[in-house]
Amino acid sequence: MNADSTKSWQAVRAEVLRRIRDREWKPGELVPHEAELARELGCSRTTVNRALRAVAEDGLIERRRRAGTRVALHPVRKARLDIPVIRVEIENRGLAYSYSLISQAEELPPPAVRARLQSPPDHKMLHVLGLHLADGCPYALEDRWIDPDAVPEAREADFTQISPNEWLVLTVPFGGGDIAFSAVEAGPDEAEALDCAPGAALFVTERTTWRGSRMLTTVQLLFAPRYRLHTRI
């Protein structure tokens, strides 16, 4: 590979992937040091580092401090899920979107929420409950908790005009998160909000996001019956 073709980290990444695919670097084998690859490929060490980080994020190499970088023995492709803006999701289905704020208050969260946000027992959180609608019909119930110390601007946000879901995606950068999917039977409150029968099966998404060591927000989204999740991996 000549030096002129490796000026970008994407080109270096492509060459690394080729060597793994063609078994020039076999599973479990040490990858050459960054400085060595930079000299060979005619680029900076920073470019090589960026490329190797991208390959590691794809699960094809394992990087460990002092132990070096190795080709993964059992590579696992990692799926990425973007945080969707529900308004966009609804409008992309050709439906009219609207949002209704049900309640908003600073209050002590229940133990399960407190555990997810790693907050002390006496720390109040901003609790926002609202309903997303598609063509005037209930689509998703958003039960959101925000740490006002981590996101102080949330206190001034007008959630009658924009949902917390969209406001957070547009306004607050995050570093990571976790997500869980489940199904529950609609209780009386959920059935009333989502206009369905008590006991109806509801698809549930629970998501918590953070920045650094600071937890930002956690949300439970309960979708009306017959909801289908579409995503890409």
Side-chain angles (χ1 to χ4, degrees):
M1 189 173 188
N2 63 55
D4 291 340
S5 64
T6 57
K7 298 302 182 184
S8 69
W9 70 264
Q10 292 94 336
V12 174
R13 174 180 177 274
E15 174 63 10
V16 169
L17 292 175
R18 184 195 67 76
R19 295 183 184 191
I20 294 173
R21 182 183 65 247
D22 293 349
R23 294 299 181 103
E24 291 182 22
W25 296 344
K26 297 178 176 58
E29 188 175 292
L30 273 172
V31 172
H33 291 298
E34 291 179 4
E36 182 181 340
L37 283 172
R39 286 193 299 271
E40 178 190 350
L41 301 176
C43 62
S44 70
R45 185 170 176 174
T46 301
T47 300
V48 172
N49 179 273
R50 177 67 182 86
L52 292 179
R53 281 193 287 117
V55 178
E57 288 170 359
D58 286 337
L60 298 177
I61 60 175
E62 298 172 348
R63 310 189 76 195
R64 296 179 181 175
R65 190 180 299 275
R66 298 189 181 90
T69 300
R70 292 181 181 273
V71 179
L73 280 171
H74 305 288
V76 177
R77 280 287 188 178
K78 297 180 180 178
R80 292 184 177 88
L81 292 175
D82 294 326
I83 295 180
V85 174
I86 295 176
R87 174 185 60 79
V88 175
E89 181 178 302
I90 289 173
E91 291 177 347
N92 283 345
R93 298 184 181 191
L95 306 173
Y97 172 79
S98 58
Y99 174 78
S100 176
L101 178 66
I102 297 172
S103 63
Q104 177 177 339
E106 286 197 29
E107 54 194 43
L108 293 175
V113 171
R114 192 169 69 240
R116 289 201 296 272
L117 292 175
Q118 301 175 12
S119 65
D122 59 348
H123 183 54
K124 289 187 176 182
M125 300 281 184
L126 182 61
H127 185 202
V128 186
L129 186 66
L131 185 65
H132 300 264
L133 300 105
D135 276 355
C137 298
Y139 184 85
L141 183 65
E142 180 179 352
D143 189 353
R144 168 86 58 175
W145 294 84
I146 303 171
D147 185 346
D149 288 351
V151 191
E153 56 268 43
R155 288 190 171 105
E156 307 302 323
D158 186 357
F159 293 130
T160 65
Q161 299 299 312
I162 185 172
S163 72
N165 161 251
E166 184 166 1
W167 181 84
L168 285 160
V169 170
L170 296 177
T171 308
V172 181
F174 68 98
D178 60 44
I179 186 168
F181 304 108
S182 61
V184 300
E185 293 184 353
D189 293 340
E190 293 84 8
E192 181 179 1
L194 294 171
D195 192 23
C196 64
L202 305 178
F203 178 76
V204 180
T205 297
E206 292 180 316
R207 185 173 58 242
T208 303
T209 51
W210 56 79
R211 184 171 57 237
S213 61
R214 199 69 183 267
M215 310 304 287
L216 303 174
T217 180
T218 188
V219 63
Q220 183 186 65
L221 290 164
L222 297 101
F223 292 88
R226 296 177 299 280
Y227 171 81
R228 295 184 65 188
L229 174 69
H230 295 268
T231 189
R232 294 180 178 179
I233 58 173

